Amino acid sequence: MKLRVLNCGSMYVDESSLVAGIRNATFRNQNPVAEWVEIPVCAFLIETSGGLILYDTGCHEREANLPPDADTPSPYVFKPEQLLPNRLEELGVSPGGIGSVVVSHLHCDHAGYLHLFGDSEVVVSDSEFTGAMRLYGLRGFGAGPYKTEDFDAFLSSVSNWRLIGSGELEYELYPGVTAVNFGPGHAFGMTGLLVELPKSGNFLLCSDALYRSDNLGPPVKPPGLVYDSLGYIASADFIARYAKKHKAKIIFGHDSRQFERLLSSGGVFE
Ligand SMILES: [Zn+2]
């Protein structure tokens, strides 16, 4: 079995949206300057003898087409080869060849190319699906991280949904590859993936349930943008316990330092 880290480009954000209060004013520094930081957008491909499993689907290229006066808080930038379809093509993988896609949540930097997987089983939290779909139906996305174009596209192609219910903790896709229900926090419902590798050890892919290592603490430091702050803290505590129990390395959602380390060690783990 192999876990492949896919570099799908970057976003730029105000660092205080990653960790709330990271640059609070002090008596000495009453007007701290915001830090505009680059963070990775990533996906993961798991190769098993029972088929291919994808965790997250990157950000759609349209999110980078911004007018010069765009007021977006998180612009996307990419090189052509970093778009998920091109990453897969480079590996000789066609979207139709992927058995299951686990989507951590339905924000645009994770569900951007979900529509390509109409032939796959698509695993997502029931709470995430229900909460996001309600907003979609009410035309309530506004300028937030869910994008109508993504939903229009994947709802017209994906039909084999596997929703993880709120009372369901784990869903084993293949021996050693388990979707884990983290509950609400960053979004309506977050899904992680435990990948147990024979040589490299166990990895717990957390996506935006934890953006970076400093969100984990202890104590837990929530991000500046969060759907359910108490849920966020509960899921962070759960992840810490779950990772310990399974002796798993936590892989954060947008941690540029950790991502660099993963890529510099080859980006493939067996
Ligand atoms: Zn994200």
Side-chain angles (χ1 to χ4, degrees), residues 11 105 107 109-110 186 207-208 211 253-254:
M11 290 190 305
H105 61 307
H107 288 172
D109 53 320
H110 301 266
H186 171 73
S207 180
D208 297 359
Y211 282 143
H254 294 288

Side-chain angles (χ1 to χ4, degrees), residues 149-161:
E149 294 92 333
D150 290 342
F151 280 62
D152 288 344
F154 68 64
L155 286 175
S156 65
S157 69
V158 175
S159 57
N160 185 10
W161 294 96

Side-chain angles (χ1 to χ4, degrees), residues 117-128:
F117 302 96
D119 294 330
S120 311
E121 171 192 50
V122 175
V123 181
V124 66
S125 148
D126 194 340
S127 310
E128 177 67 3

Side-chain angles (χ1 to χ4, degrees), residues 132-143 148 152:
M133 230 41 89
R134 180 176 180 279
L135 272 187
Y136 176 70
L138 295 172
R139 311 281 190 272
F141 286 170
T148 301
D152 288 344

Side-chain angles (χ1 to χ4, degrees), residues 59-270:
C59 192
H60 194 279
E61 59 185 298
R62 94 171 80 75
E63 296 305 321
N65 297 331
L66 297 167
D69 60 348
D71 215 12
T72 175
S74 52
Y76 175 54
V77 292
F78 66 91
K79 295 186 189 125
E81 68 271 21
Q82 293 174 328
L83 294 173
L84 183 85
N86 299 338
R87 279 278 175 240
L88 293 178
E89 191 182 356
E90 182 179 57
L91 296 168
V93 171
S94 77
I98 294 193
S100 296
V101 179
V102 179
V103 205
S104 62
H105 61 307
L106 295 169
H107 288 172
C108 63
D109 53 320
H110 301 266
Y113 284 98
L114 185 54
H115 63 282
L116 297 179
F117 302 96
D119 294 330
S120 311
E121 171 192 50
V122 175
V123 181
V124 66
S125 148
D126 194 340
S127 310
E128 177 67 3
F129 187 85
T130 306
M133 230 41 89
R134 180 176 180 279
L135 272 187
Y136 176 70
L138 295 172
R139 311 281 190 272
F141 286 170
Y146 297 105
K147 301 296 175 191
T148 301
E149 294 92 333
D150 290 342
F151 280 62
D152 288 344
F154 68 64
L155 286 175
S156 65
S157 69
V158 175
S159 57
N160 185 10
W161 294 96
R162 170 63 168 85
L163 304 182
I164 299 187
S166 56
E168 188 179 1
L169 178 64
E170 293 164 324
Y171 169 48
E172 188 181 74
L173 293 119
Y174 181 79
V177 186
T178 307
V180 187
N181 185 352
F182 292 157
H186 171 73
F188 299 107
M190 300 296 297
T191 303
L193 195 71
L194 176 69
V195 184
E196 298 171 275
L197 296 166
K199 290 186 199 154
S200 306
N202 301 342
F203 287 70
L204 183 59
L205 312 180
C206 286
S207 180
D208 297 359
L210 293 167
Y211 282 143
R212 307 197 308 199
S213 61
D214 43 352
N215 293 118
L216 183 58
V220 173
K221 295 193 185 86
L225 292 170
V226 62
Y227 160 70
D228 173 349
S229 51
L230 293 179
Y232 185 91
I233 292 168
S235 68
D237 285 339
F238 169 78
I239 289 167
R241 288 196 308 275
Y242 191 89
K244 193 173 175 194
K245 180 178 165 193
H246 292 273
K247 298 185 173 58
K249 180 182 174 64
I250 295 174
I251 305 298
F252 303 100
H254 294 288
D255 189 320
S256 43
R257 278 193 209 125
Q258 183 187 51
F259 196 64
E260 277 303 312
R261 287 198 298 273
L262 291 173
L263 291 182
S264 65
S265 59
V268 184
F269 302 89
E270 297 186 17

